[in-house]
Amino acid sequence: MEQISVFDIIKIGIGPSSSHTMGPWKAAQLSLQEALQDGWFAAIQRVRVELLGSLAKTGKGHGTDIAVILGLNGEDHTTIDTNEIGEKVRIIKSTAALNLAGQKPLPFDADKDLIFNFRESLDFHPNGMRFRYELADGQVIEQTYFSIGGGFVLKADEEPARDARRLPYPCQSGADLAAHCQKKNSTISEIVFENEKTWRSEAAIHEELDLIWQAMIACVYRGCHTQGILPGGLNVRRRAAGLNAKLFDGAQYHSIATWLDALVAARPVFHETLKWVSCIAIAANEENASFGRIVTAPTNGASGVLPAVLFYFYCFCKRRATMEDVRRFLLVAGEFGSIFKKGATISGALGGCQAEIGVSSAMAAGALTECLGGSVGQALMAAEIAMEHHLGLTCDPVAGLVQIPCIERNSMGAIKAITAANIALESDPAEAKVSLDSIIGTMWATAQDMHSKYKETSEGGLAVHVPVNVVDC
Ligand code: SF4
């Protein structure tokens, strides 16, 4: 049984895409690690990278080229100063040279050595990439990697490394999770916490969860206070800052902490609450679209849903929830994301947007339900309802940028999650006709039936029906 930690599903990352930015970045790092370990790094004379399938078709808009260049240059996407990305890439391109793995100066002409191959897509997964290294003795070493969604990466013909440790409560499905909870008379978050102790100490789990929450707050705050036009040439104006200012209507604050205090004190009426949820989802995803520091959950395109629902819970349901509440929320959300990954996919290139916004909405719905006092059955039911109403959702980003429809779609996913939780909290799960596992199976079958033009290729839907004028910038 595949073992996935909550911290593999919810993690601090960088925009705009987990599969098209973070995955290829990581693949470049892994590829060079192999060169170092196997002793042929010093002999490298040239490296060429080929992006295939969806990585070629929407790679420009998703910053795949930038990610590969920085990965080859030895930068780490978890620590790089996001303000320096533009300048670093500009220097590499203008000098036609990079510092391979941060250790070895190497000529690299991005126009010739980074190839967008629009004609070829590999069978295993549409997000394939080839690294081709030419060595001093004339030898050529080729490696193929796949970015399989959510920042996860696999090397071709290589079995994914199996974690030999056994979790106390292994879960492949919603039914497994429910059975463990029933047997131990535990909540979902308690079961997940016990599993996480396989990998980390209790203190380390708390610390990582707290870091994720702090990263979410910082991301949303930046999004709520940054004006201007998003990069990429679509000329999309950022909206969260205007919404934040309008909703606060002159409220005074001077730091992240006092801004959060003001939000907790806001006590909005119903339609303002809806606007706040949208504002937070949009703020996080505008940061994502700007190569900002975000929290991947389970992907970057969907990185606004979880913060929006968690802020809703923290600020408006609990009037400042405790850190214990926040941790419970993240643990439950992460577990639902992992069950969807095991039973279906979290990759837009494999399953369309139901696999991204749909899964994030289901994660948030289940988490909110437990945090609002719902039973295990109600939390599963909420996750099921949220996905049921995202089934068939296509991925058709205009100009291949994670902006239209992605940014607003985060708001929709968050609102649906809140509605799903509210329906579940007023329902008897024993009477539910659709189980979480059957909706996961349905989603996977729908993913397989979906035409490739709706799976992150920008060859269908909005991507071809919206006339756009992309200005190169
Ligand atoms: S449409 Fe959905 S799946 Fe596609 S890039 Fe946007 S958020 Fe991701």
Side-chain angles (χ1 to χ4, degrees), residues 62 299 301-302 348 352-353 356-357 394-397 402 405-406 409-410 456:
H62 286 52
T299 66
C353 200
E356 296 205 11
I357 296 288
T394 57
C395 170
D396 50 0
V402 195
C406 320
R409 198 164 275 178
N410 278 264
E456 217 163 355

Side-chain angles (χ1 to χ4, degrees), residues 455-472:
K455 295 199 257 192
E456 217 163 355
T457 54
S458 288
E459 291 175 339
L462 282 172
V464 297
H465 286 96
V466 175
V468 288
N469 179 21
V470 178
V471 187
D472 205 9

Side-chain angles (χ1 to χ4, degrees), residues 385-398:
I385 293 170
M387 175 50 75
E388 186 176 323
H389 302 288
H390 281 97
L391 280 181
L393 191 63
T394 57
C395 170
D396 50 0
V398 174

Side-chain angles (χ1 to χ4, degrees), residues 178-244:
H180 289 309
C181 291
Q182 191 183 23
K183 197 167 167 201
K184 296 296 294 178
N185 193 23
S186 298
T187 61
I188 294 173
S189 56
E190 286 165 349
I191 290 291
V192 181
F193 189 70
E194 289 305 311
N195 278 345
E196 287 300 322
K197 280 159 60 180
T198 308
W199 292 291
R200 292 168 180 82
S201 69
E202 291 191 10
I205 298 168
H206 288 160
E207 195 181 324
E208 282 214 41
L209 292 170
D210 297 356
L211 281 175
I212 285 171
W213 173 229
Q214 291 310 318
M216 273 185 186
I217 295 172
C219 169
V220 172
Y221 182 81
R222 275 194 313 277
C224 282
H225 296 86
T226 309
Q227 308 264 9
I229 303 290
L230 293 172
L234 255 190
N235 210 19
V236 172
R237 185 169 297 282
R238 295 178 75 133
R239 284 176 288 177
L243 257 171
N244 174 81

